[in-house]
């Protein structure tokens, strides 16, 4: 379940660096901004926080971390020029210190993890930042995988998809020659294709149109063709 996964990511992040509170913001590629999906350890109007507050890339500490794709460790948030106080006003917390770490998976921005106020009045360390960076990378991949599974489940359950043909794929055109090159690269082989006269029905290239999946269930591809092929090969190696 995606919601449970996101909640767990925040809880683990807090525990890893001894933070009093944490939040997870997801990236909306259409609006190119961040929105709060999980807020943990906060006491204020969390529904309002999640429903109203959106941060364009570059705004606030989280927005800046997302835009630069680099973590930010702020020792004194109230005096930092990037700090955006509206979140404190809604959540009821006073942010003293914080770390914001972007979640990047397959070179795509997924969102930002925030941890607030290290316990016992201490400051977050460089080791805390490094630990969250490593965890954020794994969290991003887990979120992308969970979204793919959720898209398949939604497609199966949604009433409006009854009788519809929906492709869940990368949405990229790829030729047979390109597939052969990828397989050779991934397997360390040099298999040469044999070309013969074309026959009716021969496939020259493949393209799974994901337009219906976008329209009906809001699906967006997160893995390109070569990466998906690599994962498929790894699965066969591990299971067959």
């Amino acid at each position: 379940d995606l919601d449970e996964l996101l909640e767990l990511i925040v809880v683990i992040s807090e525990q890893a660096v001894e933070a009093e509170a944490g939040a997870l913001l997801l990236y909306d590629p259409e609006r190119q901004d961040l929105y709060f999906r999980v807020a943990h350890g906060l006491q204020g109007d969390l529904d309002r926080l999640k429903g109203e507050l959106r941060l364009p890339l570059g705004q606030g500490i989280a927005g800046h971390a997302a835009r630069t794709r680099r973590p930010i460790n702020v020792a004194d948030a109230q005096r930092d020029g990037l700090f955006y106080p509206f979140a404190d006003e809604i959540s009821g917390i006073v942010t003293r210190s914080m770390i914001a770490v972007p979640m990047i998976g397959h070179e795509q921005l997924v969102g930002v993890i925030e941890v607030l106020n290290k316990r016992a009045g201490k400051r977050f360390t460089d080791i805390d930042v490094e630990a969250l960076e490593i965890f954020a990378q794994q969290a991003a991949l887990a979120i992308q995988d969970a979204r793919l599974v959720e898209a398949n489940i939604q497609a199966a359950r949604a009433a409006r998809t009854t009788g519809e043909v929906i492709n869940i794929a990368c949405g990229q055109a790829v030729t047979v020659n390109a597939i052969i090159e990828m397989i050779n690269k991934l397997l360390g082989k040099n298999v040469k294709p044999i070309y013969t006269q074309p026959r009716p029905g021969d496939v020259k290239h493949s393209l799974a149109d994901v337009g219906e999946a976008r329209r009906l269930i809001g699906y967006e591809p997160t893995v390109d063709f070569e990466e998906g092929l690599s994962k498929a090969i790894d699965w066969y190696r591990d299971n067959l």
Side-chain angles (χ1 to χ4, degrees):
D1 181 85
L2 181 58
D3 289 331
E4 291 182 3
L5 172 63
L6 299 178
E7 186 79 22
L8 182 62
I9 288 170
V10 174
V11 171
I12 292 175
S13 298
E14 290 176 17
Q15 293 175 347
V17 298
E18 299 180 319
E20 294 179 359
L24 188 148
L25 298 86
L26 290 178
Y27 175 59
D28 184 338
E30 291 189 3
R31 296 178 55 166
Q32 296 189 353
D33 64 6
L34 299 166
Y35 61 95
F36 282 84
R37 183 64 181 267
V38 176
H40 190 262
L42 306 179
Q43 302 296 325
D45 189 347
L46 301 187
D47 289 336
R48 185 183 173 202
L49 180 70
K50 296 175 185 179
E52 295 183 12
L53 184 56
R54 301 183 74 101
L55 295 176
L57 298 188
Q59 183 177 45
I61 294 170
H64 190 72
R67 183 177 65 81
T68 61
R69 297 196 173 197
R70 297 178 63 85
I72 301 176
N73 183 3
V74 178
D76 188 348
Q78 300 295 326
R79 296 187 178 183
D80 193 279
L82 293 174
F83 181 65
Y84 186 62
F86 189 51
D88 274 19
E89 294 173 13
I90 296 176
S91 66
I93 194 172
V94 176
T95 302
R96 302 187 305 273
S97 58
M98 68 179 293
I99 299 175
V101 180
M103 295 184 290
I104 309 293
H106 310 300
E107 299 184 356
Q108 295 181 335
L109 177 64
V110 175
V112 174
I113 297 173
E114 287 185 341
V115 289
L116 312 176
N117 299 344
K118 194 172 180 74
R119 295 187 183 278
K122 298 179 181 179
R123 293 185 176 183
F124 292 112
T125 66
D126 291 341
I127 295 176
D128 292 332
V129 175
E130 291 174 9
L132 280 184
E133 273 192 286
I134 295 171
F135 180 62
Q137 292 174 1
Q138 300 303 313
L141 296 175
I143 291 170
Q144 289 174 329
D145 287 344
R147 281 173 165 171
L148 181 59
V149 172
E150 194 172 69
N152 280 279
I153 293 173
Q154 287 177 352
R157 292 179 175 174
R160 63 182 179 277
T161 64
T162 301
E164 299 282 353
V165 177
I166 299 176
N167 290 314
I168 303 296
C170 66
Q172 296 172 316
V174 59
T175 65
V176 175
N177 283 332
I179 294 173
I180 293 172
E181 290 178 6
M182 292 178 196
I183 292 174
N184 280 333
K185 173 185 173 183
L186 294 170
L187 296 179
K189 304 291 185 180
N190 189 27
V191 177
K192 300 293 185 181
I194 299 174
Y195 297 100
T196 61
Q197 292 298 316
R199 298 172 298 177
D202 277 353
V203 176
K204 295 182 179 180
H205 66 270
S206 174
L207 171 61
D209 185 351
V210 297
E212 283 296 280
R214 283 194 176 102
R215 182 178 68 84
L216 293 171
I217 61 174
Y219 169 74
E220 285 297 333
T222 59
V223 177
D224 64 26
F225 188 91
E226 184 170 354
E227 184 176 0
L229 182 61
S230 175
K231 289 186 174 182
I233 290 172
D234 289 342
W235 186 90
Y236 278 105
R237 281 172 168 164
D238 294 339
N239 294 278
L240 298 180

